Amino acid sequence: GQGLFENTVVPFGGNLVFATYRDVSDAEKERTRLVWLSEHDFLTGMPNRAKLQESLANSVAEARQSKNLMAFVFIDIDYFKKVNDAHGHDVGDILLVNFVKRIRHSLPERAFVARIAGDEFAILLNELHNEAQLNDLISEVFSAMKRPFVYGGIEMSITCSAGCVLTDGSESVDELMRIADKAMYEAKHQGRARFKIERALKAT
């Protein structure tokens, strides 16, 4: 393919110039790789918390302007520690990779999914019309988790919990995270294996 070249021209007395060419495609590739690593989770390849914060801020601004709704969701695996304790961290890691794959496959292409920490993930959904649509999308994720995860003769059936907030962009990023976190706590408190939706909309 085409390399990337840096071209330096130095005047060399009289009408002569001295030109040097340096191939910087490797340096550029390395920089791109470092940026990618700083914004993604190494295990799952998903965007990380830093990238999530940035994308969430953009989504909020977009919702505020477009008059569309958006949703922010915290989701995690119930009793994930038991998987690590019973089968070891390697199997736990494989479960996380496949858990996030199932989330991705059950949502529209444009959905943004990030890994925050451990078994905690976040989902950003833009251009929503109403709460029923959000409910359908998250139900889709939850039904995708009903099939057991099978790995090397180990069969794991899991459930997950989620806290969701539907907003028109009228709340700050921190406030949305706080509301989703509280909704997640309530879903856990009500017995796990469920999701709870909160609204953060301007009073009309």
Side-chain angles (χ1 to χ4, degrees):
Q2 294 266 300
L4 213 75
F5 292 93
E6 195 173 78
N7 179 358
T8 316
V9 177
V10 184
F12 199 65
N15 298 327
L16 298 171
V17 292
F18 178 66
T20 61
Y21 292 90
R22 184 168 71 93
D23 185 348
V24 290
S25 40
D26 285 348
E28 190 56 36
K29 276 192 197 114
E30 180 62 6
R31 193 158 45 239
T32 307
R33 195 181 74 88
L34 290 174
V35 168
W36 191 90
L37 287 173
S38 72
E39 295 180 340
H40 290 76
D41 162 58
F42 191 70
L43 175 69
T44 61
M46 288 295 115
N48 61 15
R49 183 186 273 276
K51 186 69 179 162
L52 169 70
Q53 292 266 22
E54 181 193 315
S55 300
L56 181 52
N58 291 340
S59 292
V60 168
E62 207 176 285
R64 204 177 301 140
Q65 284 186 320
S66 69
K67 305 288 182 276
N68 279 325
L69 299 174
M70 59 153 287
F72 175 68
V73 181
F74 275 132
I75 182 166
D76 73 8
I77 299 171
D78 295 325
Y79 305 113
F80 178 66
K81 189 177 179 302
K82 287 185 176 173
V83 173
N84 278 337
D85 291 349
H87 305 296
H89 286 273
D90 288 353
V91 172
D93 283 354
I94 288 160
L95 175 59
L96 290 175
V97 169
N98 287 295
F99 177 73
V100 78
K101 267 190 192 155
R102 281 197 197 174
I103 293 176
R104 280 246 50 112
H105 287 159
S106 11
L107 291 172
E109 192 60 44
R110 67 174 190 278
F112 178 95
V113 184
R115 183 183 182 205
I116 303 169
D119 65 322
E120 294 170 46
F121 293 86
I123 302 168
L124 266 183
L125 296 160
N126 295 319
E127 295 171 32
L128 297 174
H129 303 301
N130 50 38
E131 189 175 331
Q133 189 186 5
L134 172 59
N135 195 80
D136 288 349
L137 287 166
I138 303 302
S139 299
E140 197 62 44
V141 170
F142 271 62
S143 67
M145 300 305 167
K146 293 212 165 87
R147 290 193 325 279
F149 289 83
V150 181
Y151 171 70
I154 300 166
E155 195 171 297
M156 292 168 281
S157 290
I158 62 147
T159 58
C160 50
S161 300
C164 319
V165 55
L166 183 72
T167 183
D168 51 11
S170 55
E171 294 292 350
S172 70
V173 165
D174 290 347
E175 185 61 10
L176 290 178
M177 290 179 116
R178 191 192 65 74
I179 296 169
D181 197 49
K182 187 167 173 284
M184 161 78 98
Y185 174 80
E186 285 172 14
K188 297 270 188 202
H189 198 67
Q190 288 165 10
R192 294 180 162 83
R194 68 198 66 218
F195 62 89
K196 189 163 194 311
I197 296 177
E198 293 290 349
R199 285 174 219 75
L201 307 168
K202 275 192 293 282
T204 41

